[in-house]
Each structure stands twice: as structure tokens, then as C-alpha cells.
């Protein structure tokens, strides 16, 4: 009987195919959005002073609801540790615990801003909908070009370290904000990515010359990640080639639905043909 | 007789194939551009003080012409409600009414800036011209990748909410502008999109470190919408060529739907022609 | 005899195939670069006060050389008006005349900065070299997508006018720089193109919200010109298809080197085959 | 015997296939990262004053290790001049010598920031790993489009020179930072590349109008390098599939170099196999 009740709860909380599961997901999503709105309003001083009590009570209400949800998730799953130490489990804990800690420690309440992390659950919930296919396509393209993008980011970071160090040598005498190498590297990243805050900006002619080179570099190499992802996406739209190698001649890059090797005519799935 | 007159008016106002219709569209376009120029000049204090009377009279003149046009559109259409509650109908109303309201309420005159919305009618009018095909091609690519772009924007917004909340925790103690979570989210959007005003900029080492991550993220994921639209456009533009070789002259790279060899004129599908 | 001398001069100045023509182009390029360097140094106050006399004499020397070149170009061409009113002819005139005008009018000397326009002659001169093919390829892609890019820019301008007008309504009360509609439109362009100076930045919550929308818009629609050019370039690298229509069946988009219609097998060049 | 010892040293230092060689590379990489971290911390005044002695001793330790490495590289190679005057040889020298020079000259110690250049050795060391293929692919695409990118950058520089000169004419009277032509060119680069610091920003209406044109230009022509690299990458990645149909089972979309049908294993070129 108890198991039956747990199974029902599990179905509602963890599955999304049943009407109850969908309803639960929708209510959860609304609660998450409401909780984030509350945290936002709380941080705006005019709202905090005007509607302080209302915000405080609402935040406690939502915290209690989230706490109930947290324990319901633990109770209804077979291996609670699997949920507790999962990515979403940790986020769920982080987004409820600061309110309780605020009884004992001063200032921990501001940590409730971590509740914004729960927004990521949207991706989970929307897996229900039609977005899944589309989103997966982008994800697959990003996934396929993971290593290329990694190499690219490493290249950017090394470039910014070198350029930032050089700019520190050039500009540190001036009063233009290049007060240390880490700050100069931060400036190099701000410049290369074409963000350009202007809180730190070169003043000497040589500094502005180097900065110009960095900008043109950044303007040009933005083509690299774009090229990587675009090429990958264009490939995904075509026929997929896999890296399975032929048991007879070791040729690679067969069509995904290939039954025979394009190179030697050998069957690629010997056990299936027999 | 009255119907005849209405039909003629309808033809002039709503259709663009007749010489009168084209003339009406061109005059309307010029009036719209003139009205926007007036509103712009009015907002520049030097002009407003110098040519105040001229601008005021001109604005009333154009408002009266727009009012006549508005009623002509209502009169000449069979179902006036269809126009009145249409997108363009509402814009047309909004861009004339503030002038009349300025008799009764102070300050409503500045709402006349909404007249800029009438500029959108340009797209309608230019449908006449050769731009239609080109513009439609872009529209089709954007339309085809609508959902992907939607998922992408949602992803950006969630990312900015999370990153903004974290930055609020890190920087709110400092005097660097992160005064509330919504403002921090605004900053995260400014940074991720590589706009970088610099009105709000991180000051602590940790804040600058997180900011660097956001910038590199923004610099990298701009590749995603670009990849989506490019892949879509490449698909729309392509006429596929195949490598089937001609049975007569062995020429390759025919159009996929080719029936005859482009090089020797031989039928590419002998069995089908017989 | 005089004609012979003129023909020789024409060959040196206007043609680039002979050794003398190449030498002339290289010397001209060096002179142009030197003249621009002079103008630059002149504008830097430290240099102007230190080396004033040297810069003044050098500028006159180069101006005299350019004047000689200008008259040599007029003399050696058959129809002088063709050169005088050509694009390069007008630039050549503009880049020499301010120095002479400085005798009569005060301040015209600064107009010599227009000399930078002569830099465009580099493109002409480098046509000699290997860059021609590459540069032409980019030019062809830009040319092919001319109309699409035009529609796109018009769309951007209309969008910025509308958004700038709305921002003027929202922010003009504040002291955040939105002092007039044209200035607000300027800000909208600064924001949409992700430049983001920060000299004008929204202050109200609503203004920052609208600004966020503009930024995400700008971040997203940068994909459009990129998509256009990329798709065009990808097409150029492939086999060219032309829009010649078959004399027999009117089918279009044949291969550029096609001799026969792919659709009906009819010869595409009847006169050539006979 | 001595040669044997030198050969062993050469193997460890210059080669990466042996376990010792790999270990040496990993230790070197860690030392380089540590040395850069030290230089960074040294430049932050709070750290420099607190841990000054520790940083100074550590820096000397690493300098001595780098000196030993430098001489070991010279000793173990057959032609020492080949290493000394190589790219990495010069960097290695530059990154050790400032510490020694600091005995004789004041201020040279700050030149130690050049040590960041040693980070480039990461690319050498990581050639061991799996990144090589990926990184090479990007490099090949960049290499293939080298000339196109060169032409593009030259175009950008000329454009910025011309636009900067014009802006100097327009804005130099104002107090908006356009104090000289080189500074105006710097501003044009900052604007065209969409960095937009805001340290220099146009103030006059005409200046803001020209700036708007530059921004839209910059926003649009970023498509050019992106288009170049993307087209190149798409070409490199592609395995062409043709639409030749199998004589046995009529399956289509074989690899261009396919000898046998992927679907039924039948030879695609019967005449060749016989």
C-alpha cells in the first residue's frame, strides 16, 4: 500500500507523460518563476522597504513549498542518494537552505539569489514540448564541435594573457587603469570580445596602437567559432556519416544506414546478415 | 454611384497596381517621412525654440491629412472593423490622436513620437518593387529557424538571469553599479551581447573573472544564431548538383533534376525516354 | 612627335603592365603613404610644434609633386574631362587644392586630411598583384548580395528610428542623455550594432528593459548579414549556375559551361554548333 | 659516452614520444604556468607588499630552473645556433634575462612580464595530445583564407584611416577627444570593430551621423571574415556524396570515392572490377 502511494508520487513528480505529471511540472515552473520574481523585487531597495513584509512572507511560503517538494522527491525515489547528489538535487537544496540558515547567521539570506539556478529546470520541463527536437539539434552541433571550441577558447585565453602582460608594460605608468597584470588581462578579454566597457582604456599612442591590433584580431577571429558551428550545423542537415570502420578493409566514414562497405563491399554487420 | 466612388477610392488607397494607387503610396510615404522629420526636429530644443510656430503648423497640417486618410480608409473598405482593428489601423490611429488629445491633456503631444511606427508602412509600399523577392528570402530563412532562435533567446535570458544573480552576490557590496538583481541581469545582457556600455562594470577581482567568462561565452555563442540562419539560407539558395556521369560523354555535376546532359545533349535516363 | 611623348606618358601613368608603369605606381603609393603620415603627424600637437617647419616644407613638396601628377594625368589622356570628373580625378583635386587655398583663406589647410581618400588608389595599384583574384571574389559575393544587404540596412534604420523614438518617450525626463529623438536614434544604432559607447545609457527600469530587448535583437540579427554573405560565398566556390534560359524550353539555371539544356537536350548556343 | 649522455638529454627535452619526454613537457608546462602566476601576483600591489619576499625568492628559483633548461637545450642540440635564433629560443632568452639585468639596471624587472610569451609553448606541448587534429583543422581553414583575410584587414585599415581623418575634421573643434588624426583613426577602429569604449565619442550631430554609418558598416562587414572562414571550413569538412544509383539496388547518395554500394555490397563500377 505504501509502495503504491510512493509509486504514484514518483509518477507525478518524476514523469511527465501523465496529466498529473504535466500539471505538477507546470505548477512547479510557475512557483520557480514566482520565487525568482520575489528575489528580484527583494533586491530593489524601493520594493524591499515598501512591501518588505509581503515579500518576506511570500518567500517563506515558497521556501516551505520547495522544502516539501524536496522531501517528496527524496521519499518517492528508490535510491534517494541518486537524487540528492544529482545536479538538480544540489541546486534544489541550495535554493531552499539559505532561508533556514538566516535564523542562525546574518547575511545568508542574500544567498537566496542562487534560486535563479532553479530556472535551469525549465529545460527539463520543456522537454515535454516540441522544443526538444530543435534544442537537441543545436546541442548536437555544439557537442560535435566541443573540442574545436575548447581549443579556440584556450587560444583566446593565452592570447589575452600575452597581450594583457604586454599592455601592462606599456600602460602601467599611465593613470589609465592598467594597475596590475590580471586587470590588464581582464581588459584584453573585454577588448578582444568587442565588449569594450571603457572603464579601462589605453592612453598612450603605443597602447592605443596595440589595442587597435587586439580589436581587429577580435573582430576577425569571431569568424572562427561561427565557422565551426555553422559548418557543423550544415553537416547535421545533410546525411550523417559515422566513424565505424569496415571489418574487412578498415575504411571509415560510412553512411549511418550503410549495410555494406563502400570500399570493399564487405557486410558491415556480419551477425545481422546471417 | 456611391459604391462606384467608394470602389475607386478603395482602388487608390488599398491597391498598388494602378497608376493612381502607386501615386497615392508614394505621396503617403513622403508625408510619413516628412511627419517623422518634423517630430525629430521638434524634439531638438534649438529647432523647437527657433522654428516653433512653423513646426506646430506643419504638424497640424500633416495630422489633418492623416486624419482624412484614416477616415477615407474606413469609408472605402467594406468591413471598416477589419481595418480599424488591424495592425496598421491601430498604428494609424495612435499616430494621429495625440495631437487632438493635446487640447485636453498637457504632455500628450510628446506621444506623437509613436508616429515613427508608421515607418513600417514602408515595407507595405515597397512590396510594389523589386525588393519583395529578396526580402521574402530573408524572411523565409528567419521563419524557418523561428523555433531554434526562440529556444536560443530563452537560453540567453535564463543564462543572464543566473549570471546576473551571481554577480549581484559578488558585487553588490561594491560601489560598481550592481544595486539590484534586475540591474545585474541588465548588466549581464549588456555584457553577453558584447554591447558593453560601461555604466555598470565589475570592480572586484572575482567579479571581473566572472565577467570575463560571460564575455567569452557571449563571444562564442554568437555563433549559434549565425549558424542557424546561415545553414537555413544555404539550404534555401542551393540547387543541388549530382555527380552522375553522362552515359555518352561522361560529363559530371548535373543538376539533380536534369533530364539531358548539359555537355552533349544526350538523355541521362535512356530507359525513361523510351 | 608630341603624340608619341603623350602616349609614352599615358603608358607610364595609366597602364601597369610595363616596368615604367609599375615603377610609377610604386612611387605614387609611397608618396601617398608619406603624405598621409605627414598629415597625421601635423595633427598631433607635440609634433606640430617641434617639427613644424619640416612638416610644412614636406607637405608643400608633396603637394607640388601631386600637382605635377594631376596635370600630367590631364595632359596625357585623350579626353581630359573623363579623368577630371572621374571618382579618382575629383579625389586627386580635393587632396591638392586645400594647400593652395590656405594662401587665401584661414583654416582650409586642415581640409588636407581629405588626402586620406587617396589611399583608395591602393586598390587600383594592387590590381597589379596577386590580390586581385581574392579581392574580386569578396567583391562578387558582396555585389551578389547587394540588394539583400540594402533591405537589411533599411530594416535596421527603420527599427532604430522606431526604438529611438520610443526610448525618447521613456527616458527624456531623466538626465541620461536622451535629449532629442535624433540623439535617441543614434543611441539605438550604438546599441543595436553592439558598439555600446556608454555616453548615453538608459537609467529607468523600463528604459533598461527596452534596451535589453534591443541588445538581444542586435545580437541575434547580426546573423542575417553573416548568413547572406556566407551563403553567397559558399555558392561562389561551387559550380556557377547562370540564368540563361533555354531557347527551346525556357529552363533556367544552367551550368556556366553548359552546351546543351539539361531539361530538353536542345543546344544552348545554336550558332556555335553549326 | 658524452655523446650518449647528450643524446639522452636531447631525447628528454626535444622529443615527446618517450615517457621521460612527456614527463619533462608536463613539468615544464607546470613551471611556466607557475612563473606566469608569480608575475601576475607580483603586479598586484596588495600581494607584492604582503608576500614580497616569497614572490622574489620563487621568481629567482624559477629563473634559475629556466636558465638551466636554456643551457641544457643549447648543450643537447647539435647546432646550438638553430635553437638560439629560433622563435622559441628567443622567447626563452627574453623570459629569463630580465631577472639578471635587474642587478645592473633599475626597472628591468618589470620586463619579466614577457614571460607570458612562454605560454605559447603550450601549443607545442599539446601537440602530443588529441587536440592536434582539431587545432590543425582550424589552422588549415585560416591558412587557406590567409590572403582573403589579409585583403580584408587592409581594407578595414584604409577605411578607418579615411573615416578617422574625416571625423577629425568634423569633431576636432569639440571637446570630445578627437585631438589628432591618429587618435581619430584609433576611435574609428574602436567603433568599426563594435568595441566602443566610449573614452572618445562624437558630440556634434554630424559626427554622430558619420559614427552611425561607421557602426552599421562595421556591423555589416563582420559578415565578410565570417563568410570567408565558414565557406573554407565547410569545404574542408565535407565528404562529398553523389547521387549515382547502384546498378543492383538503385540506392543513391554514395561517397564520391565509393567502389561498392553501401546498401547491397554490389560493385558500383562493374567494368573496372572485371
Amino acid at each position: 500500500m505504501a509502495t503504491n502511494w510512493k509509486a504514484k508520487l514518483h509518477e507525478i513528480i518524476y514523469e511527465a507523460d501523465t496529466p498529473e505529471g504535466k500539471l505538477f511540472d507546470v505548477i512547479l515552473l510557475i512557483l520557480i518563476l514566482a520565487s525568482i520574481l520575489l528575489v528580484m523585487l527583494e533586491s530593489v531597495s524601493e520594493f524591499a522597504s515598501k512591501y518588505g513584509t509581503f515579500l518576506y512572507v511570500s518567500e517563506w511560503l515558497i521556501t516551505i513549498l520547495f522544502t516539501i517538494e524536496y522531501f517528496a522527491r527524496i521519499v518517492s525515489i528508490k535510491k534517494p542518494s541518486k537524487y540528492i547528489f544529482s545536479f538538480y538535487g544540489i541546486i534544489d537544496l541550495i535554493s531552499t537552505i539559505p532561508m533556514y540558515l538566516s535564523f542562525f547567521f546574518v547575511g545568508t539570506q542574500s544567498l537566496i539569489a542562487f534560486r535563479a539556478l532553479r530556472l535551469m529546470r525549465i529545460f527539463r520541463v520543456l522537454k515535454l514540448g516540441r522544443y526538444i527536437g530543435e534544442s537537441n539539434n543545436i546541442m548536437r552541433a555544439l557537442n560535435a564541435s566541443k573540442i574545436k571550441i575548447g581549443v579556440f577558447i584556450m587560444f583566446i585565453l593565452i592570447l589575452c594573457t600575452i597581450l594583457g602582460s604586454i599592455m601592462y608594460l606599456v600602460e602601467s605608468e599611465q593613470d589609465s587603469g592598467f594597475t596590475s597584470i590580471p586587470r590588464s588581462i581582464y581588459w584584453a578579454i573585454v577588448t578582444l570580445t568587442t565588449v569594450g566597457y571603457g572603464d579601462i582604456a589605453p592612453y598612450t599612442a603605443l597602447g592605443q596602437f596595440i589595442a587597435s591590433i587586439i580589436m581587429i584580431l577580435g573582430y576577425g577571429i569571431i569568424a572562427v567559432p561561427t565557422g565551426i558551428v555553422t559548418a557543423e550545423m550544415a553537416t547535421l542537415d545533410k546525411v550523417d556519416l559515422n566513424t565505424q570502420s569496415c571489418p574487412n578493409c578498415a575504411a571509415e566514414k560510412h553512411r549511418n544506414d550503410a549495410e555494406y562497405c563502400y570500399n570493399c563491399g564487405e557486410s558491415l554487420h556480419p551477425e545481422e546478415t546471417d
Side-chain angles (χ1 to χ4, degrees), chain A residues 8 11-13 15-25:
Chain A
K8 185 73 195 160
E11 199 185 303
I12 292 171
I13 295 179
E15 272 157 59
D17 305 327
T18 56
E20 294 97 335
K22 278 184 190 166
L23 188 69
F24 176 81
D25 279 339

Side-chain angles (χ1 to χ4, degrees), chain A residues 159-171 181 184-185 188:
Chain A
L159 197 69
C160 287
T161 306
I162 293 169
L163 292 170
S165 301
I166 292 171
M167 280 304 276
Y168 174 69
L169 291 182
V170 172
E171 288 274 337
I181 291 183
S184 301
I185 293 170

Side-chain angles (χ1 to χ4, degrees), chain A residues 124-173:
Chain A
R124 269 224 147 163
V125 172
L126 287 188
K127 282 228 169 153
L128 313 165
R130 55 199 281 229
Y131 296 119
I132 179 166
E134 300 296 339
S135 170
N136 267 14
N137 210 359
I138 300 174
M139 284 301 152
R140 227 182 310 142
L142 286 178
N143 211 39
S145 46
K146 203 167 47 184
I147 299 174
K148 280 183 199 161
I149 288 174
V151 172
F152 176 71
I153 287 174
M154 204 179 66
F155 172 76
I156 294 287
L157 289 178
I158 292 172
L159 197 69
C160 287
T161 306
I162 293 169
L163 292 170
S165 301
I166 292 171
M167 280 304 276
Y168 174 69
L169 291 182
V170 172
E171 288 274 337
S172 62
E173 302 293 291

Side-chain angles (χ1 to χ4, degrees), chain A residues 41-243:
Chain A
L41 292 179
E42 173 90 69
S43 78
V44 183
S45 50
E46 300 121 59
F47 280 94
S49 56
K50 253 194 200 163
Y51 308 104
T53 328
F54 168 73
L55 290 171
Y56 189 72
V57 171
S58 308
E59 236 159 57
W60 266 111
L61 201 76
I62 280 176
T63 303
I64 289 163
L65 286 171
F66 280 178
T67 313
I68 293 169
E69 183 219 344
Y70 185 71
F71 284 109
R73 278 182 190 273
I74 291 174
V75 165
S76 67
I77 206 167
K78 271 180 189 159
K79 291 189 182 171
S81 65
K82 209 182 144 192
Y83 164 70
I84 292 170
F85 298 107
S86 75
F87 178 67
Y88 286 108
I90 291 164
I91 286 175
D92 289 355
L93 186 67
I94 289 172
S95 61
T96 50
I97 224 159
M99 281 302 277
Y100 296 106
L101 287 179
S102 67
F103 281 127
F104 309 104
F105 306 101
V106 176
T108 55
Q109 202 181 335
S110 73
L111 292 172
I112 214 161
F114 279 122
R115 198 166 272 179
L117 290 167
R118 286 210 87 184
L119 263 180
M120 276 190 271
R121 203 169 270 276
I122 281 181
F123 292 114
R124 269 224 147 163
V125 172
L126 287 188
K127 282 228 169 153
L128 313 165
R130 55 199 281 229
Y131 296 119
I132 179 166
E134 300 296 339
S135 170
N136 267 14
N137 210 359
I138 300 174
M139 284 301 152
R140 227 182 310 142
L142 286 178
N143 211 39
S145 46
K146 203 167 47 184
I147 299 174
K148 280 183 199 161
I149 288 174
V151 172
F152 176 71
I153 287 174
M154 204 179 66
F155 172 76
I156 294 287
L157 289 178
I158 292 172
L159 197 69
C160 287
T161 306
I162 293 169
L163 292 170
S165 301
I166 292 171
M167 280 304 276
Y168 174 69
L169 291 182
V170 172
E171 288 274 337
S172 62
E173 302 293 291
Q174 305 292 323
D175 191 31
S176 49
F178 294 83
T179 51
S180 70
I181 291 183
R183 195 166 284 255
S184 301
I185 293 170
Y186 162 72
W187 168 86
I189 293 173
V190 168
T191 301
L192 195 88
T193 57
T194 78
V195 171
Y197 284 132
D199 52 345
I200 309 168
Y203 191 77
T204 64
L206 182 59
Q208 294 188 341
F209 180 73
I210 297 172
S212 299
I213 293 171
I214 300 176
M215 283 169 219
I216 290 172
L217 257 174
Y219 189 65
I221 58 183
I222 201 168
V224 174
T226 308
I228 293 168
V229 175
T230 305
E232 211 60 59
M233 274 188 171
T235 309
L236 281 179
D237 284 0
K238 285 185 229 147
V239 173
D240 282 329
L241 296 176
N242 63 42
T243 51

